[in-house]
Amino acid sequence: MTIKNFLCGCIALAAFTPCTAQTQLSAYQPGVTAEGVVYYLPQTAVQLRVLVEKTSYEPGDFARYAQRYLRLNDVALEPSTTYRVTSITVGPKGVPDTTKVYSVKFSPKTVAANLALSDDGLLLAINAEARPVAAMPAFEAAKKPAPVNPRQFMSEEILTAGSTAKMAELTAREIYDLRENRNLLIKGQADFMPTDGTQMQLMLSQLDKQDRALTQLFQGVTTRDTTEHVITLVPTEAVSNEVAFRLSQRMGLVDVDDLSGTPYYINIENISNLPAIDEEAAAKAKRKKVQAGIYVNVPGKMRVTVVRDTETIVSAELPAPQFGQVELLSGELFDKHYTTRLWISGVSGAVERLEAEQPK
């Protein structure tokens, strides 16, 4: 999340008030309003980053002769494409909780303060520069080597052969010659021996390259591509064996209701150990005038587990403000007798750091 421009102004901290549901959904938008400044506290979304490997096979021109000339068994004669999950990573992401939106009114009678909001209205800092919100690193696919055309290593005799079968026979003979020359080079018995180790390595590398290029005419070509799929879930309660996604070996990721794919289930367990709320005291507080201060989250904790069949693929514990509580930081921290700086987590809405200095 990027940071909005600081919203500067004189803020009456005694005027923090929760917005009603109608106001949250229609009138108020993150930023400056006629009332002052509106900010959200976050709830934590669960991000599943799924790496899916696509394997494509294309048979070689001489695939049907692989067993006869190179003794290669089980060489497929038809193209195919398969998919598999290589890894799943679980991470948190803060998203605005529309049930936790608060307004700050401007007033010339209080000291000036700066509020830093994210682009989607989350409060990140007061009287301080907001810190970047930690994010999972983006996936970068590995660079694939440039494809090699095996025909550039074919001799004139191979290219002018009268039939595919004859071309396959001559190509196989060329492959065996390459392998024999490589063995002679390693043993030091070649007719033209390199003068140093670098030249030796170059010669071996070139022989290997030609061998692989010609052999793929029999074995075929297999290519692998890995893509990342990000699945975001916002749990509001514990979840047991809910389908997070499905993977088809032939189609890749499919809809959760597509039975052609193998299901991957997600379990979300509330493992918070926060003290219970005193309902009577909370009711009395609601009947009183709203106190001055800043509302922050005291997040709970959730355990996220991804399962395939009976196998646990990944498990992680994440903050869960939706399973926690909202508390009020006293407005006295922000009056003119103190220089107060506050940093709030953009993922959980909890206080990351609070600095309050009394001026001399």
Side-chain angles (χ1 to χ4, degrees):
M1 286 181 271
T2 57
I3 306 303
K4 281 187 173 181
N5 292 332
F6 278 155
L7 303 173
C8 302
C10 296
I11 298 177
L13 292 170
F16 287 90
T17 55
C19 303
T20 63
Q22 290 182 341
T23 301
Q24 295 168 20
L25 297 177
S26 57
Y28 283 107
Q29 297 293 331
V32 178
T33 69
E35 295 290 331
V37 178
V38 174
Y39 71 90
Y40 291 91
L41 291 180
Q43 56 185 329
T44 301
V46 176
Q47 280 195 332
L48 302 181
R49 299 205 171 195
V50 184
L51 295 186
V52 177
E53 182 184 75
K54 175 184 177 182
T55 302
S56 301
Y57 168 75
E58 191 68 30
D61 295 344
F62 307 147
R64 66 182 61 191
Y65 304 104
Q67 202 284 330
R68 179 189 302 179
Y69 294 123
L70 294 184
R71 299 297 186 264
L72 297 175
N73 299 318
D74 301 324
V75 172
L77 302 181
E78 299 295 332
S80 63
T81 301
T82 58
Y83 296 84
R84 72 184 183 99
V85 172
T86 59
S87 72
I88 301 176
T89 306
V90 177
K93 179 183 180 181
V95 296
D97 187 340
T98 56
T99 67
K100 298 176 183 178
V101 55
Y102 306 95
S103 64
V104 183
K105 295 182 181 179
F106 293 113
S107 171
K109 297 180 180 180
T110 57
V111 296
N114 297 324
L115 270 70
L117 302 181
S118 69
D119 282 344
D120 47 6
L122 297 177
L123 179 61
L124 300 178
I126 297 177
N127 295 334
E129 184 176 352
R131 296 168 177 172
V133 179
M136 299 174 68
F139 170 74
E140 293 185 7
K143 293 182 179 180
K144 295 191 297 184
V148 178
N149 182 8
R151 292 186 176 273
Q152 66 180 322
F153 301 114
M154 288 182 173
S155 64
E156 181 181 359
E157 183 181 8
I158 297 174
L159 292 173
T160 57
S163 66
T164 302
K166 186 62 175 178
M167 290 182 68
E169 180 183 356
L170 294 174
T171 301
R173 189 180 303 167
E174 181 71 15
I175 292 172
Y176 287 126
D177 287 343
L178 289 170
R179 293 175 181 177
E180 182 180 359
N181 290 335
R182 186 180 189 280
N183 289 333
L184 291 174
L185 193 61
I186 293 174
K187 294 176 181 179
Q189 300 174 357
D191 293 336
F192 301 97
M193 290 301 297
T195 57
D196 55 35
T198 301
Q199 189 178 17
M200 175 78 162
Q201 187 61 42
L202 288 174
M203 293 177 68
L204 291 174
S205 177
Q206 184 63 21
L207 289 172
D208 289 340
K209 182 178 180 179
Q210 295 180 41
D211 187 345
R212 288 193 301 270
L214 294 177
T215 301
Q216 77 180 24
L217 290 169
F218 295 89
Q219 286 183 324
V221 178
T222 300
T223 57
R224 292 179 174 84
D225 294 294
T226 301
T227 55
E228 181 185 57
H229 303 264
V230 180
I231 301 170
T232 303
L233 308 170
V234 184
T236 57
E237 58 184 3
V239 170
S240 178
N241 289 332
E242 179 177 305
V243 177
F245 65 93
R246 290 178 181 268
L247 180 83
S248 167
Q249 287 190 340
R250 301 299 179 188
M251 303 296 294
L253 282 187
V254 295
D255 294 337
V256 294
D257 56 355
D258 188 339
L259 300 183
S260 68
T262 300
Y264 285 72
Y265 298 98
I266 187 169
N267 297 304
I268 297 177
E269 181 184 358
N270 181 0
I271 57 173
S272 304
N273 56 2
L274 298 174
I277 298 176
D278 187 334
E279 299 294 343
E280 183 178 351
K284 289 181 179 179
K286 287 183 179 180
R287 290 193 292 266
K288 294 181 179 180
K289 185 179 179 179
V290 177
Q291 304 177 53
I294 289 287
Y295 288 98
V296 296
N297 280 332
V298 180
K301 186 179 291 187
M302 58 183 166
R303 180 181 292 115
V304 181
T305 307
V306 178
V307 178
R308 182 190 59 211
D309 297 328
T310 59
E311 177 188 3
T312 297
I313 305 299
V314 64
S315 182
E317 294 184 2
L318 305 177
Q322 52 266 54
F323 297 150
Q325 303 168 8
V326 176
E327 297 292 346
L328 183 69
L329 290 181
S330 173
E332 294 180 358
L333 290 170
F334 301 92
D335 67 19
K336 60 184 180 181
H337 299 295
Y338 295 92
T339 301
T340 301
R341 290 180 293 275
L342 175 68
W343 290 268
I344 296 177
S345 168
V347 172
S348 67
V351 174
E352 288 186 332
R353 187 174 180 180
L354 175 66
E355 296 180 357
E357 300 175 2
Q358 188 171 11
K360 297 181 181 178

